[in-house]
Amino acid sequence: MRLVENGRIVEDRYVRLDDDAPIPDRVPIIVSAKRFLAEAATLVRRDGSVGVLWPNDKRVAELEPWLGHLALIALVFPKFKDGRAYSQARLLRETHGYRGMLRATGDILRDQFHFLVRAGFDSFEVKKDADARVFAEVLARYSIYYQDGADGRAPALRRRRLSANPVPKARETV
């Protein structure tokens, strides 16, 4: 599986662990939601980045006490028709203020990529090499948006207002 991160195809530095697998030291890991919730206090103190694979049928509010310790949250799209992970991403970014890496995993299609970025995702597990190249190129394709998004880009109207009303310079006094 290919990984696109911030518009570039990269090697995944995270190791995805089974629930019964030993936890290696100083290696970035991704654990299941079940394992994370059971071992959260220990996992966040370990030497190495921690990520969690979060299913779309669990409330992201359960992660709130740990958000400052999680380097990555991988949100699952079990089917391309199931968009609950979009809502989870927006909640994590806008309501809970999560600033770490948000990864889309599962059944994601190239047609969804732009919407995933706008929802706050910055990392994508892609099944096909051709899709990975397209995902990496799409970020540069669009620069103007009309709606607010969780990706931090200002919509066109706000950008226009800011450029039309620059901050006045302080007057000099003599």
Side-chain angles (χ1 to χ4, degrees):
M1 195 163 302
R2 305 291 288 185
L3 183 67
V4 178
E5 188 174 287
N6 295 317
R8 294 187 331 260
I9 300 170
V10 299
E11 291 296 319
D12 192 355
R13 59 188 185 94
Y14 283 84
V15 175
R16 195 170 291 188
L17 298 178
D18 292 330
D19 285 345
D20 56 351
I23 297 174
D25 289 331
R26 295 183 294 276
V27 174
I29 60 170
I30 298 175
V31 297
S32 70
K34 177 183 173 184
R35 183 170 190 176
F36 180 77
L37 292 174
E39 303 174 30
T42 305
L43 288 169
V44 299
R45 286 193 314 266
R46 69 180 287 278
D47 187 15
S49 298
V50 177
V52 62
L53 182 64
W54 200 256
N56 69 354
D57 61 351
K58 291 187 82 56
R59 295 179 40 161
V60 293
E62 292 180 59
L63 289 172
E64 190 169 20
W66 311 108
L67 290 179
H69 303 282
L70 287 169
L72 179 140
I73 300 174
L75 299 176
V76 180
F77 288 85
K79 295 183 271 186
F80 78 92
K81 294 182 195 179
D82 188 342
R84 290 178 283 181
Y86 283 107
S87 299
Q88 289 176 315
R90 294 283 305 249
L91 286 168
L92 284 166
R93 293 287 193 216
E94 295 174 356
T95 303
H96 300 292
Y98 180 66
R99 295 291 166 244
M101 184 71 64
L102 270 184
R103 181 181 291 186
T105 186
D107 196 12
I108 55 173
L109 306 175
R110 68 169 63 179
D111 295 349
Q112 298 169 306
F113 177 69
H114 193 255
F115 301 110
L116 292 164
V117 171
R118 295 293 290 155
F121 289 97
D122 37 30
S123 174
F124 313 89
E125 289 180 1
V126 183
K127 294 177 185 171
K128 299 178 187 173
D129 286 345
D131 285 348
R133 284 189 300 277
V134 170
F135 274 41
E137 293 167 1
V138 164
L139 278 180
R141 189 175 302 156
Y142 301 101
S143 62
I144 298 174
Y145 304 96
Y146 292 103
Q147 296 86 16
D148 277 320
D151 61 354
R153 297 180 189 191
L157 183 59
R158 189 175 316 134
R159 288 174 54 185
R160 193 175 306 132
R161 285 181 180 159
L162 289 172
S163 67
N165 297 319
V167 177
K169 294 181 182 178
R171 292 185 183 194
E172 291 183 27
T173 55
V174 181

